Amino acid sequence: MLFRSRLVGSISVPSGGSEIGSLKIDLHTNRLLWRIENMAIVLRDPHRFPKIFVSPEFASFSPTNDVMIARLKLFPSGSDQSRIDGCCSFYLRCIQGLVVRFSVDVAGELVETFECEYEKQRDKGKHDFVKLNEVIEPDGSMTTGIDVS
């Protein structure tokens, strides 16, 4: 699978959200990494920051060669669906009409694999993902990513 930047079509940034972070694409491993700087500051004072962090838009080809236009979404304090205190929520939002299997990792460790059918543009992922204070890197940043298969 090849990742490409900005193709026709788009996924908007949700109301109350903020596009943040940088994407790194490894074409050899087909892995996309999303790095968010200063997450340690967000943990100390979450009310000063947006409720939703959204990755820059990216595009890829699914195994059936369909174009997959997507964004990653992170709720540092958890989404409305979250039930565990201190857990963030993590989602992949794709355009409609795709079946996508993706693995999610945080700080280089596999957390979970999802297989989702995107009948319409919506979020798929985990309401209680990981406890942010356990995955903040020494420099205060957080790195998460996906492998699409």
Side-chain angles (χ1 to χ4, degrees):
M1 172 186 63
L2 298 174
F3 288 100
R4 302 185 184 235
S5 63
R6 299 276 182 204
L7 294 180
V8 176
S10 67
I11 296 174
S12 62
V13 174
S15 175
S18 178
E19 186 175 293
I20 192 168
S22 61
L23 295 177
K24 179 180 177 186
I25 297 151
D26 186 331
L27 296 176
H28 299 290
T29 61
N30 294 327
R31 174 176 284 175
L32 177 127
L33 297 175
W34 181 26
R35 182 175 173 86
I36 303 171
E37 303 291 335
N38 301 314
M39 279 303 284
I41 295 170
V42 174
L43 280 179
R44 285 195 297 268
D45 193 3
H47 302 290
R48 288 185 43 215
F49 297 93
K51 182 179 177 179
I52 309 166
F53 291 164
V54 183
S55 76
E57 185 177 83
F58 61 93
S60 173
F61 291 100
S62 72
T64 58
N65 287 325
D66 293 321
V67 175
M68 179 182 101
I69 299 173
R71 287 185 186 268
L72 301 175
K73 293 174 66 177
L74 178 76
F75 291 71
S77 299
S79 70
D80 294 339
Q81 307 287 326
S82 183
R83 300 290 173 245
I84 301 174
D85 285 340
C87 276
C88 66
S89 300
F90 180 87
Y91 305 98
L92 173 67
R93 173 168 276 208
C94 286
I95 60 171
Q96 66 186 23
L98 294 177
V99 175
V100 177
R101 179 180 167 89
F102 62 99
S103 301
V104 181
D105 73 52
V106 175
E109 294 194 30
L110 179 66
V111 176
E112 193 157 345
T113 300
F114 299 90
E115 188 159 336
C116 302
E117 184 172 343
Y118 287 88
E119 298 155 359
K120 60 183 180 178
Q121 181 176 304
R122 61 181 292 192
D123 301 336
K124 301 280 186 163
K126 188 135 178 111
H127 306 308
D128 296 304
F129 183 49
V130 294
K131 293 197 176 222
L132 277 184
N133 63 348
E134 296 174 0
V135 297
I136 299 295
E137 297 170 25
D139 66 358
S141 67
M142 174 190 174
T143 303
T144 187
I146 61 168
D147 294 305
V148 180
S149 55

